[in-house]
Amino acid sequence: MILVTGGAGFIGANFVLDWLAQGTAGSAEAVVNLDKLTYAGNLETLSSLQGNASHVFVQGDIGDSALVSRLLAEHKPRAVVNFAAESHVDRSIHGPEDFVQTNVLGTFRLLESVRGYWNTLPADEKAAFRFLHVSTDEVYGSLSATDPAFTEDNKYEPNSPYSASKAASDHLVRAWHHTYGLPVVTTNCSNNYGPYHFPEKLIPLMIVNALAGKNLPVYGDGMQVRDWLYVKDHCSAIRRVLADGKLGETYNVGGWNEKPNIEIVNTVCALLDELRPKADGKSYREQISYVTDRPGHDRRYAIDARKLERELGWKPAETFDSGIRKTVEWYLANAQWVSNVQSGAYREWVEKQYDAESTEPAGTAKAPA
Ligand SMILES: NC(=O)c1ccc[n+]([C@@H]2O[C@H](COP(=O)([O-])OP(=O)(O)OC[C@H]3O[C@@H](n4cnc5c(N)ncnc54)[C@H](O)[C@@H]3O)[C@@H](O)[C@H]2O)c1
């Protein structure tokens, strides 16, 4: 079995669902899923696994050494896949401490618990064991319009409290390999999108706000470029790296889909215009509202994923066009998931972040609920 941390969040939950779905067709390998259930963790995403004996959910903190050591001793996983993190850049600007607590201290404690367990394993299991650390392209900093995409050799230049805390965690993982021999691999992925994405992030926020007749807040000039990857392609890359990644190596994961934010928003609006047209015949684009840019907002990220393609034969299955269509369709078909996730706490935060800066769009009819 494997231990997944942060498996009730966006990517972790997609990973667990895909992992267990693959298992039913081939060898079913069980998952112990350790998640603290912060605002970003959502057990409803995993509701289809209720009664599935191959999935054991445990609510807890990766920084709780006693709990993690007990879980490792009890379940004897052959691998740990670490998704657990505070992940939202805007939140890291308002409150960086949680990011240091989980992403730095939590990763450190997790590494120490795992090292203690790994040291008890017989030689063959010790050699086969893997600790896969899931990280981000944001550790590399920002690119100019003409810079080549980030490779694994780019130096780390994190610019936000989020990316700095992720960079620190990557360094700890690397050091635990070089110092203690822990068999680690790290993946650095570009922006993900797809089902079960918490609606504070760009794509789901645009879909949800558009349907609610609200503003579509776009930071600055909307020309910040991100490299987008459909979440299930990220999950398939993690499975490849877990199976055959070289110890101590890092692998960039990306979809060669560089897009300015405003193009993403326009694409979402065009898909909604087609799939859920407004009663008054107007376009959702009319709800776009530019808001003050985020401080220190990185201009461009782009990932060169050729190492992963060359060495492990991984390629994304979705193009941006196919992935974004699936995503919009998923949100339209899962309005209940969205409304359940919109707790009071979530709404307060989004209001604090955006509504103070933007005004209601002129002449916008309320979209269907
Ligand atoms: N979302 C992206 O576009 C993206 C891209 C590249 C890499 N990543 C990385 O992938 C990982 C997962 O990202 P995500 O978008 O799914 O994040 P998310 O915020 O949706 O999920 C994080 C999960 O971790 C859990 N968690 C937080 N602190 C914890 C702790 N101390 N102990 C145990 N669980 C804890 C939360 O409850 C939540 O379920 C993160 O490490 C992130 O840095 C994300």
Side-chain angles (χ1 to χ4, degrees), residues 28-42:
E29 189 176 21
V31 173
V32 175
N33 185 350
L34 172 67
D35 194 297
K36 190 177 172 182
L37 295 181
T38 67
Y39 78 94
N42 184 358

Side-chain angles (χ1 to χ4, degrees), residues 130-198:
R130 293 291 178 271
F131 181 95
L132 191 149
H133 180 61
V134 179
S135 192
T136 165
D137 59 354
E138 301 195 25
V139 298
Y140 297 123
S142 184
L143 294 168
S144 75
T146 53
D147 284 334
F150 299 124
T151 70
E152 291 79 0
D153 297 326
N154 270 75
K155 68 178 176 179
Y156 273 33
E157 292 183 332
N159 292 322
S160 72
Y162 164 65
S163 55
S165 66
K166 288 298 290 185
S169 69
D170 292 9
H171 290 320
L172 291 172
V173 170
R174 177 189 159 90
W176 260 239
H177 176 66
H178 284 272
T179 304
Y180 304 112
L182 193 70
V184 308
V185 271
T186 296
T187 53
N188 293 91
C189 189
S190 58
N191 275 37
N192 284 215
Y193 67 97
Y196 305 112
H197 207 178
F198 195 74

Side-chain angles (χ1 to χ4, degrees), residues 74-126:
E74 203 172 295
H75 296 285
K76 303 203 179 323
R78 66 161 180 98
V80 172
V81 184
N82 181 32
F83 293 95
E86 289 292 338
S87 71
H88 190 40
V89 177
D90 288 331
R91 284 180 188 264
S92 82
I93 294 167
H94 291 293
E97 190 159 342
D98 285 349
F99 288 71
V100 174
Q101 196 64 37
T102 282
N103 301 358
V104 186
L105 201 55
T107 305
F108 157 71
R109 292 205 176 125
L110 178 65
L111 282 166
E112 278 295 82
S113 304
V114 171
R115 182 165 76 91
Y117 160 71
W118 176 71
N119 273 326
T120 66
L121 294 176
D124 54 336
E125 288 176 31
K126 211 172 165 185

